[in-house]
Amino acid sequence: MLFKAATILSALVSLTFATPIIYDGRAPLNYTEADIDGPKAPYVYVVRGSQNSSYYVDFDKLLPPPTPLWLGKLPGFLPLPKVTEQTVKVKIDNSSVFVPGGNPANAQYGFRRTEIIAQSDRNAMETGTTVFHFSILKDDLHPLNPKHEYQIVFIEPNDGTHVFQVRYGSNFANPTQKHLPTSNALNLEVTDHALNVIYSVPFKSLTWYNFAVQIDWTNRTLGVFASTNGDNLKKVSKLVPNLSATAGPDGQGDFHFGVLKLPLVNPADSEANKGDVVHHGIQEGTTEALYYSGVFVESIANGVSTGFGKITTPITA
């Protein structure tokens, strides 16, 4: 089940955030397809293919319901839950070829991608120590292909690297690995800038996977909190160094969530093109999707939010 009703009802006593919210990317209940075509706040851009943003991004209040961690409370004596955000569905298909600058010479034929860029102020979100929250749910009607690598949440500075990322599937390799999918392909993995795995968890159906990634931008460290469905977030990693990430403003980047599908190597390509993951490779062109909710960024001034109005201390060791 997506959540345990009794657990949620008993937890809906205090739902105020104890820590300052720097950016709230939870889709408002009145957010529409026309809004994402703008796009209007809280989103600033959709990395997508040839169609309008609303072709690739859908919003729904009920099906599936968002992660229960951040539910509100309806007025009245009983602590009945109130949905305060819409679930965001992000999909790709064979039209999902991003063309930077609108120049066909730049078309990224190796990728299929739709990502929402979820903020507009790098300085506010990426100074001191901040925590990036998000929840991910499978779309079983449009599943990902675990033979491919997917990068689904990340912060991308101008140099194209990722401060951290969540990935799924078989890691891209040239030549393609002999046995696909690989042993880790069915897991969600949180990695650091150098692609070391910090946390890994099997990605199962009908389950919200809740994450909070703590980033110290000054000392360049990372820590991960995680849970499923209506369970409060818990520390699932130690504090780990992230020293390969660039320090200072050059290390700040755009916060993406969505579906970025890497190709398989095409044996018919030249040796140079086999390694050009952006522009070459094999893609099946199928429709694939993920659901997101609970996207926001907070300061650690008063702790880290774990759901249902509760907080915990930051990861320090």
Side-chain angles (χ1 to χ4, degrees), residues 136-157:
I136 308 168
L137 174 71
K138 274 189 175 184
D139 180 352
D140 287 319
L141 296 179
H142 304 101
L144 307 187
N145 180 349
K147 292 183 179 180
H148 288 254
E149 177 181 343
Y150 296 80
Q151 299 169 0
I152 58 178
V153 182
F154 52 87
I155 298 175
E156 185 173 84

Side-chain angles (χ1 to χ4, degrees), residues 17 111 115 122 134 182:
F17 286 94
F111 292 157
E115 300 128 51
R122 292 184 181 185
F134 47 90
T182 57

Side-chain angles (χ1 to χ4, degrees), residues 198-199 211-212 223-227 233-238 315:
I198 307 171
Y199 175 67
F211 295 91
V224 180
F225 302 79
S227 72
L233 291 163
K234 296 181 180 179
K235 298 170 184 176
V236 294
S237 83
K238 296 180 179 180
I315 298 171

Side-chain angles (χ1 to χ4, degrees), residues 270-292:
S270 68
E271 288 305 313
N273 288 344
K274 285 178 181 178
D276 185 355
V277 67
V278 177
H279 301 104
H280 297 275
I282 297 172
Q283 291 279 3
E284 297 80 13
T286 50
T287 299
E288 305 172 34
L290 290 172
Y291 293 105
Y292 289 90

Side-chain angles (χ1 to χ4, degrees), residues 16-21 70 129-133 211-215 223-226 232-235 296-316:
T16 58
F17 286 94
T19 60
I21 300 297
W70 319 111
T129 302
T130 52
V131 181
F132 288 72
H133 287 261
F211 295 91
V213 179
Q214 175 185 307
I215 306 176
V224 180
F225 302 79
N232 287 82
L233 291 163
K234 296 181 180 179
K235 298 170 184 176
F296 66 95
V297 182
E298 66 180 343
S299 163
I300 63 161
N302 298 317
V304 176
S305 299
T306 64
F308 305 112
K310 296 182 179 179
I311 62 169
T312 190
T313 56
I315 298 171
T316 58

